[in-house]
Amino acid sequence: MDISLILAIGFSIFVIITVAKTARIVPQREQFVIERLGKYSRTLDAGFHILIPFLDKVAYKHSMKEIAVDVSQQTCITRDNIQVDIDGIIYLQVVDARAASYGITDYYFATTQLAQTTLRSEIGKIELDKTFEERDVINARVVETVDKAAEPWGIKVLRYEVKDIMPPASVTDALEKQMRAERERRAVVAKSEGERQAQINVSEGAKQEMINLSEGQKLKQINEAEGKASEIRLIAEATAHGLRTIAAAINEEGGLDAVNLRVAEQYVKEFGQLAKTNNTLIIPSNLGDVGGMVATVMKSMETARDAKTA
Protein backbone atom coordinates (compact mmCIF):
# COMPACT_ATOMS: atom_id res chain seq x y z
CA MET A 1 0.00 0.00 0.00
CA ASP A 2 1.22 3.48 -0.83
CA ILE A 3 2.57 5.42 2.14
CA SER A 4 0.71 8.54 1.06
CA LEU A 5 -2.59 6.64 1.10
CA ILE A 6 -1.90 5.38 4.59
CA LEU A 7 -1.10 8.90 5.77
CA ALA A 8 -4.27 10.20 4.15
CA ILE A 9 -6.38 7.58 5.90
CA GLY A 10 -4.69 8.27 9.22
CA PHE A 11 -5.16 12.00 8.81
CA SER A 12 -8.84 11.50 8.02
CA ILE A 13 -9.30 9.40 11.12
CA PHE A 14 -7.52 12.03 13.19
CA VAL A 15 -9.76 14.74 11.78
CA ILE A 16 -12.88 12.74 12.52
CA ILE A 17 -11.79 12.09 16.09
CA THR A 18 -10.83 15.71 16.56
CA VAL A 19 -14.17 16.93 15.26
CA ALA A 20 -15.97 14.38 17.44
CA LYS A 21 -14.11 15.63 20.51
CA THR A 22 -14.48 19.27 19.54
CA ALA A 23 -18.18 19.60 18.64
CA ARG A 24 -20.85 18.74 21.27
CA ILE A 25 -24.62 19.05 20.97
CA VAL A 26 -26.43 19.07 24.32
CA PRO A 27 -30.12 17.97 24.15
CA GLN A 28 -32.93 20.01 25.70
CA ARG A 29 -33.35 19.62 29.50
CA GLU A 30 -29.85 18.13 29.89
CA GLN A 31 -26.51 19.46 31.14
CA PHE A 32 -22.96 18.22 30.45
CA VAL A 33 -20.16 18.69 32.98
CA ILE A 34 -16.84 19.47 31.22
CA GLU A 35 -13.43 18.69 32.73
CA ARG A 36 -10.18 20.10 31.41
CA LEU A 37 -7.13 18.01 32.22
CA GLY A 38 -9.11 16.24 34.96
CA LYS A 39 -10.40 19.43 36.61
CA TYR A 40 -13.91 20.88 36.47
CA SER A 41 -14.11 23.48 33.71
CA ARG A 42 -17.73 24.42 33.05
CA THR A 43 -21.29 23.14 32.64
CA LEU A 44 -22.87 23.06 29.17
CA ASP A 45 -26.57 23.81 28.72
CA ALA A 46 -28.72 22.71 25.79
CA GLY A 47 -27.30 23.68 22.38
CA PHE A 48 -24.15 23.43 20.25
CA HIS A 49 -20.74 23.79 21.92
CA ILE A 50 -17.05 23.67 20.85
CA LEU A 51 -14.47 21.95 23.08
CA ILE A 52 -10.70 21.92 23.00
CA PRO A 53 -9.81 18.50 21.69
CA PHE A 54 -7.78 16.20 23.93
CA LEU A 55 -7.94 18.80 26.72
CA ASP A 56 -11.68 19.03 27.39
CA LYS A 57 -13.87 16.04 27.91
CA VAL A 58 -17.50 15.40 28.92
CA ALA A 59 -17.14 13.91 32.40
CA TYR A 60 -20.85 13.71 33.43
CA LYS A 61 -24.22 13.96 31.75
CA HIS A 62 -27.30 14.86 33.78
CA SER A 63 -30.98 15.03 32.87
CA MET A 64 -32.73 18.02 34.40
CA LYS A 65 -36.12 16.34 34.15
CA GLU A 66 -38.08 15.07 37.14
CA ILE A 67 -37.11 11.49 38.01
CA ALA A 68 -39.28 8.91 39.79
CA VAL A 69 -37.29 6.44 41.87
CA ASP A 70 -38.77 3.38 43.60
CA VAL A 71 -38.06 3.05 47.30
CA SER A 72 -37.82 -0.64 48.09
CA GLN A 73 -40.19 -2.29 50.54
CA GLN A 74 -38.98 -2.32 54.12
CA THR A 75 -40.26 -3.39 57.52
CA CYS A 76 -41.10 -0.62 59.99
CA ILE A 77 -42.22 -0.85 63.59
CA THR A 78 -45.00 1.45 64.76
CA ARG A 79 -45.27 3.13 68.13
CA ASP A 80 -47.51 0.30 69.39
CA ASN A 81 -44.90 -2.32 68.31
CA ILE A 82 -46.64 -3.57 65.18
CA GLN A 83 -44.50 -4.53 62.18
CA VAL A 84 -45.68 -3.19 58.83
CA ASP A 85 -44.16 -3.49 55.36
CA ILE A 86 -44.06 -0.17 53.53
CA ASP A 87 -42.81 0.83 50.10
CA GLY A 88 -42.95 4.12 48.28
CA ILE A 89 -41.75 6.27 45.43
CA ILE A 90 -39.68 9.45 45.56
CA TYR A 91 -39.54 12.17 42.91
CA LEU A 92 -36.19 13.91 42.35
CA GLN A 93 -34.76 16.58 40.08
CA VAL A 94 -31.16 17.64 39.43
CA VAL A 95 -30.91 21.40 39.90
CA ASP A 96 -27.10 21.70 40.03
CA ALA A 97 -25.18 19.44 37.65
CA ARG A 98 -21.79 20.24 39.19
CA ALA A 99 -22.92 19.42 42.74
CA ALA A 100 -24.64 16.25 41.53
CA SER A 101 -21.36 15.20 39.85
CA TYR A 102 -18.92 15.95 42.65
CA GLY A 103 -21.11 16.12 45.76
CA ILE A 104 -21.93 12.40 45.94
CA THR A 105 -21.10 9.25 44.07
CA ASP A 106 -24.67 7.94 43.49
CA TYR A 107 -27.46 10.30 44.45
CA TYR A 108 -30.16 7.74 43.44
CA PHE A 109 -28.94 5.27 46.06
CA ALA A 110 -28.30 7.98 48.63
CA THR A 111 -31.77 9.57 48.41
CA THR A 112 -33.63 6.25 48.48
CA GLN A 113 -31.64 5.07 51.52
CA LEU A 114 -32.25 8.35 53.29
CA ALA A 115 -35.97 8.13 52.45
CA GLN A 116 -36.12 4.65 53.97
CA THR A 117 -34.40 5.64 57.21
CA THR A 118 -36.58 8.75 57.53
CA LEU A 119 -39.70 6.70 56.90
CA ARG A 120 -38.76 4.19 59.60
CA SER A 121 -38.23 7.04 62.02
CA GLU A 122 -41.59 8.66 61.24
CA ILE A 123 -43.53 5.38 61.39
CA GLY A 124 -42.02 4.70 64.81
CA LYS A 125 -43.59 7.91 66.13
CA ILE A 126 -47.20 6.98 65.37
CA GLU A 127 -49.56 4.09 66.08
CA LEU A 128 -50.78 1.64 63.46
CA ASP A 129 -54.21 3.21 63.07
CA LYS A 130 -52.63 6.59 62.41
CA THR A 131 -50.38 5.27 59.62
CA PHE A 132 -53.41 4.95 57.34
CA GLU A 133 -54.84 8.34 58.31
CA GLU A 134 -51.66 10.43 58.26
CA ARG A 135 -50.10 9.47 54.94
CA ASP A 136 -49.92 13.10 53.88
CA VAL A 137 -48.10 14.03 57.07
CA ILE A 138 -45.63 11.15 56.65
CA ASN A 139 -45.00 12.08 53.01
CA ALA A 140 -44.39 15.73 53.88
CA ARG A 141 -41.91 14.89 56.65
CA VAL A 142 -39.92 12.51 54.42
CA VAL A 143 -39.72 15.18 51.68
CA GLU A 144 -38.62 17.83 54.17
CA THR A 145 -35.87 15.66 55.68
CA VAL A 146 -34.49 14.19 52.44
CA ASP A 147 -34.62 17.50 50.58
CA LYS A 148 -32.62 19.20 53.31
CA ALA A 149 -30.00 16.42 53.25
CA ALA A 150 -29.80 16.33 49.43
CA GLU A 151 -29.37 20.08 48.98
CA PRO A 152 -25.49 19.88 48.98
CA TRP A 153 -25.75 17.22 46.24
CA GLY A 154 -27.61 19.56 43.86
CA ILE A 155 -30.75 17.44 44.16
CA LYS A 156 -34.27 18.77 44.77
CA VAL A 157 -36.73 16.33 46.36
CA LEU A 158 -40.14 17.26 44.96
CA ARG A 159 -42.41 14.77 46.73
CA TYR A 160 -42.66 11.33 48.27
CA GLU A 161 -45.62 8.97 48.16
CA VAL A 162 -46.27 5.91 50.31
CA LYS A 163 -47.58 3.23 47.95
CA ASP A 164 -48.56 0.34 50.21
CA ILE A 165 -48.83 -0.25 53.94
CA MET A 166 -49.14 -3.96 54.66
CA PRO A 167 -49.61 -5.01 58.30
CA PRO A 168 -49.36 -8.69 59.36
CA ALA A 169 -52.26 -11.04 58.57
CA SER A 170 -53.28 -11.26 62.23
CA VAL A 171 -53.45 -7.50 62.53
CA THR A 172 -55.41 -7.29 59.27
CA ASP A 173 -57.97 -9.77 60.61
CA ALA A 174 -58.27 -7.81 63.85
CA LEU A 175 -58.74 -4.57 61.92
CA GLU A 176 -61.42 -6.15 59.75
CA LYS A 177 -63.27 -7.39 62.83
CA GLN A 178 -62.96 -3.96 64.41
CA MET A 179 -64.29 -2.25 61.29
CA ARG A 180 -67.10 -4.79 61.02
CA ALA A 181 -68.07 -4.19 64.65
CA GLU A 182 -67.93 -0.44 64.08
CA ARG A 183 -70.17 -0.71 61.02
CA GLU A 184 -72.65 -2.86 62.95
CA ARG A 185 -72.62 -0.39 65.82
CA ARG A 186 -73.31 2.48 63.43
CA ALA A 187 -76.12 0.49 61.84
CA VAL A 188 -77.72 -0.18 65.25
CA VAL A 189 -77.36 3.48 66.23
CA ALA A 190 -78.80 4.63 62.92
CA LYS A 191 -81.72 2.21 63.27
CA SER A 192 -82.46 3.30 66.86
CA GLU A 193 -82.24 6.96 65.84
CA GLY A 194 -84.64 6.27 63.01
CA GLU A 195 -87.10 4.49 65.31
CA ARG A 196 -86.84 7.27 67.89
CA GLN A 197 -87.49 9.90 65.25
CA ALA A 198 -90.41 7.88 63.92
CA GLN A 199 -91.95 7.65 67.42
CA ILE A 200 -91.43 11.37 67.90
CA ASN A 201 -93.10 12.06 64.58
CA VAL A 202 -96.04 9.78 65.45
CA SER A 203 -96.51 11.39 68.87
CA GLU A 204 -96.24 14.86 67.36
CA GLY A 205 -98.83 13.87 64.78
CA ALA A 206 -101.18 12.48 67.47
CA LYS A 207 -100.67 15.62 69.55
CA GLN A 208 -101.45 17.86 66.60
CA GLU A 209 -104.49 15.72 65.76
CA MET A 210 -105.84 16.07 69.32
CA ILE A 211 -105.23 19.82 69.21
CA ASN A 212 -107.03 20.08 65.90
CA LEU A 213 -109.95 17.99 67.17
CA SER A 214 -110.25 20.05 70.35
CA GLU A 215 -110.08 23.27 68.35
CA GLY A 216 -112.75 21.91 66.03
CA GLN A 217 -114.96 20.86 68.97
CA LYS A 218 -114.47 24.27 70.55
CA LEU A 219 -115.46 26.05 67.36
CA LYS A 220 -118.43 23.68 66.99
CA GLN A 221 -119.67 24.46 70.51
CA ILE A 222 -119.16 28.18 69.96
CA ASN A 223 -121.06 28.03 66.68
CA GLU A 224 -123.89 25.99 68.25
CA ALA A 225 -124.10 28.40 71.20
CA GLU A 226 -124.13 31.37 68.88
CA GLY A 227 -126.79 29.64 66.76
CA LYS A 228 -128.96 28.91 69.79
CA ALA A 229 -128.53 32.46 71.06
CA SER A 230 -129.49 33.80 67.67
CA GLU A 231 -132.47 31.44 67.57
CA ILE A 232 -133.67 32.51 71.02
CA ARG A 233 -133.17 36.16 70.12
CA LEU A 234 -135.07 35.78 66.87
CA ILE A 235 -137.92 33.85 68.59
CA ALA A 236 -138.11 36.50 71.33
CA GLU A 237 -138.12 39.27 68.77
CA ALA A 238 -140.79 37.48 66.72
CA THR A 239 -142.90 36.85 69.87
CA ALA A 240 -142.55 40.47 70.94
CA HIS A 241 -143.47 41.61 67.47
CA GLY A 242 -146.48 39.27 67.46
CA LEU A 243 -147.65 40.55 70.87
CA ARG A 244 -147.27 44.13 69.73
CA THR A 245 -149.28 43.31 66.63
CA ILE A 246 -152.01 41.58 68.68
CA ALA A 247 -152.14 44.48 71.11
CA ALA A 248 -152.48 46.92 68.24
CA ALA A 249 -155.24 44.80 66.70
CA ILE A 250 -157.17 44.64 69.99
CA ASN A 251 -157.19 48.41 70.28
CA GLU A 252 -158.76 48.71 66.83
CA GLU A 253 -162.50 48.68 66.26
CA GLY A 254 -163.93 45.16 66.62
CA GLY A 255 -160.66 43.85 68.01
CA LEU A 256 -162.14 42.63 71.27
CA ASP A 257 -164.90 40.73 69.47
CA ALA A 258 -162.29 38.97 67.36
CA VAL A 259 -160.30 38.09 70.45
CA ASN A 260 -163.47 36.70 72.12
CA LEU A 261 -164.09 34.51 69.13
CA ARG A 262 -160.47 33.33 68.99
CA VAL A 263 -160.40 32.48 72.72
CA ALA A 264 -163.63 30.54 72.41
CA GLU A 265 -162.26 28.56 69.46
CA GLN A 266 -159.05 27.73 71.29
CA TYR A 267 -160.96 26.67 74.36
CA VAL A 268 -163.13 24.30 72.41
CA LYS A 269 -160.17 22.92 70.45
CA GLU A 270 -158.01 22.26 73.50
CA PHE A 271 -160.85 20.68 75.38
CA GLY A 272 -161.41 18.33 72.47
CA GLN A 273 -157.76 17.19 72.65
CA LEU A 274 -158.00 16.04 76.26
CA ALA A 275 -159.65 12.76 75.40
CA LYS A 276 -157.02 11.93 72.77
CA THR A 277 -153.92 12.35 74.94
CA ASN A 278 -155.11 10.93 78.28
CA ASN A 279 -157.39 8.16 79.46
CA THR A 280 -158.72 10.47 82.16
CA LEU A 281 -161.19 13.05 80.96
CA ILE A 282 -161.23 16.24 82.99
CA ILE A 283 -164.57 18.05 82.76
CA PRO A 284 -164.75 21.62 84.08
CA SER A 285 -167.54 22.36 86.52
CA ASN A 286 -168.80 25.17 84.30
CA LEU A 287 -168.56 23.27 81.01
CA GLY A 288 -171.73 24.84 79.69
CA ASP A 289 -170.68 28.37 80.51
CA VAL A 290 -168.19 28.96 77.69
CA GLY A 291 -169.29 32.53 77.34
CA GLY A 292 -168.62 33.20 81.01
CA MET A 293 -165.13 31.79 80.77
CA VAL A 294 -164.39 33.89 77.70
CA ALA A 295 -165.73 36.95 79.47
CA THR A 296 -163.43 36.26 82.39
CA VAL A 297 -160.41 36.00 80.06
CA MET A 298 -161.36 39.19 78.27
CA LYS A 299 -161.84 41.02 81.51
CA SER A 300 -158.30 40.04 82.53
CA MET A 301 -156.98 41.33 79.24
CA GLU A 302 -158.81 44.65 79.63
CA THR A 303 -157.47 45.04 83.17
CA ALA A 304 -153.91 44.45 81.90
CA ARG A 305 -154.45 46.94 79.09
CA ASP A 306 -155.83 49.60 81.45
CA ALA A 307 -152.88 49.08 83.78
CA LYS A 308 -150.49 49.53 80.89
CA THR A 309 -152.32 52.69 79.74
CA ALA A 310 -152.28 54.17 83.24
Side-chain angles (χ1 to χ4, degrees):
M1 183 178 293
D2 189 17
I3 297 177
S4 60
L5 179 60
I6 296 173
L7 292 176
I9 294 173
F11 181 75
S12 299
I13 294 174
F14 176 77
V15 171
I16 292 172
I17 294 174
T18 302
V19 172
K21 290 183 174 292
T22 300
R24 282 288 186 270
I25 297 176
V26 181
Q28 184 68 31
R29 297 291 294 170
E30 289 189 12
Q31 287 184 349
F32 290 179
V33 175
I34 305 300
E35 290 181 351
R36 179 171 296 174
L37 299 176
K39 183 179 180 181
Y40 171 78
S41 175
R42 63 188 183 277
T43 301
L44 302 183
D45 293 322
F48 179 78
H49 302 274
I50 300 295
L51 304 180
I52 300 175
F54 306 106
L55 296 180
D56 294 341
K57 73 171 184 176
V58 178
Y60 300 97
K61 295 180 180 180
H62 295 285
S63 174
M64 310 305 290
K65 299 177 183 178
E66 186 174 344
I67 305 168
V69 182
D70 268 327
V71 179
S72 302
Q73 188 179 93
Q74 61 175 332
T75 301
C76 302
I77 300 177
T78 62
R79 184 178 180 181
D80 48 352
N81 295 322
I82 303 297
Q83 291 185 351
V84 291
D85 294 331
I86 302 178
D87 58 357
I89 185 169
I90 191 168
Y91 296 84
L92 312 173
Q93 185 178 17
V94 178
V95 294
D96 188 344
R98 178 181 179 181
S101 301
Y102 302 106
I104 193 169
T105 303
D106 187 351
Y107 58 83
Y108 291 105
F109 178 77
T111 52
T112 54
Q113 291 300 308
L114 186 57
Q116 286 183 332
T117 57
T118 305
L119 181 62
R120 283 196 296 268
S121 176
E122 293 299 329
I123 293 297
K125 298 177 182 178
I126 58 179
E127 298 179 353
L128 178 62
D129 295 340
K130 297 296 184 179
T131 58
F132 298 96
E133 301 175 4
E134 299 187 0
R135 284 195 176 192
D136 293 339
V137 176
I138 296 172
N139 295 337
R141 290 177 180 173
V142 171
V143 169
E144 180 182 0
T145 303
V146 179
D147 183 60
K148 185 177 180 181
E151 185 177 357
W153 309 334
I155 304 300
K156 177 66 177 177
V157 179
L158 302 175
R159 58 188 179 277
Y160 177 84
E161 296 292 339
V162 173
K163 290 197 297 185
D164 292 317
I165 300 177
M166 292 171 288
S170 59
V171 176
T172 303
D173 293 340
L175 290 176
E176 289 180 355
K177 292 179 181 179
Q178 181 180 355
M179 289 186 291
R180 191 181 305 114
E182 180 65 19
R183 285 194 295 267
E184 292 176 355
R185 185 189 67 82
R186 292 179 181 177
V188 172
V189 171
K191 181 179 178 181
S192 63
E193 287 291 337
E195 292 176 351
R196 185 177 72 89
Q197 190 62 41
Q199 292 176 356
I200 292 174
N201 292 339
V202 170
S203 63
E204 288 290 339
K207 174 184 176 182
Q208 190 62 40
E209 181 182 6
M210 294 178 63
I211 292 174
N212 293 338
L213 290 175
S214 63
E215 290 290 337
Q217 187 67 24
K218 175 183 176 182
L219 292 176
K220 178 182 177 183
Q221 293 176 354
I222 292 174
N223 292 335
E224 289 179 351
E226 291 179 351
K228 289 180 180 180
S230 298
E231 180 183 4
I232 293 172
R233 185 175 63 255
L234 293 175
I235 292 174
E237 291 178 355
T239 302
H241 179 70
L243 291 175
R244 286 195 296 270
T245 303
I246 292 173
I250 291 174
N251 292 328
E252 293 180 356
E253 185 179 355
L256 289 176
D257 295 336
V259 170
N260 291 334
L261 178 60
R262 183 62 176 171
V263 170
E265 291 177 351
Q266 287 295 116
Y267 177 79
V268 174
K269 180 179 178 181
E270 295 297 330
F271 184 77
Q273 295 294 331
L274 291 176
K276 295 180 180 180
T277 58
N278 198 340
N279 293 331
T280 302
L281 182 62
I282 301 174
I283 300 176
S285 59
N286 56 347
L287 178 62
D289 192 8
V290 176
M293 185 198 66
V294 171
T296 302
V297 172
M298 294 305 299
K299 184 176 180 181
S300 299
M301 293 179 62
E302 289 178 356
T303 303
R305 183 183 62 183
D306 294 340
K308 182 178 179 182
T309 302

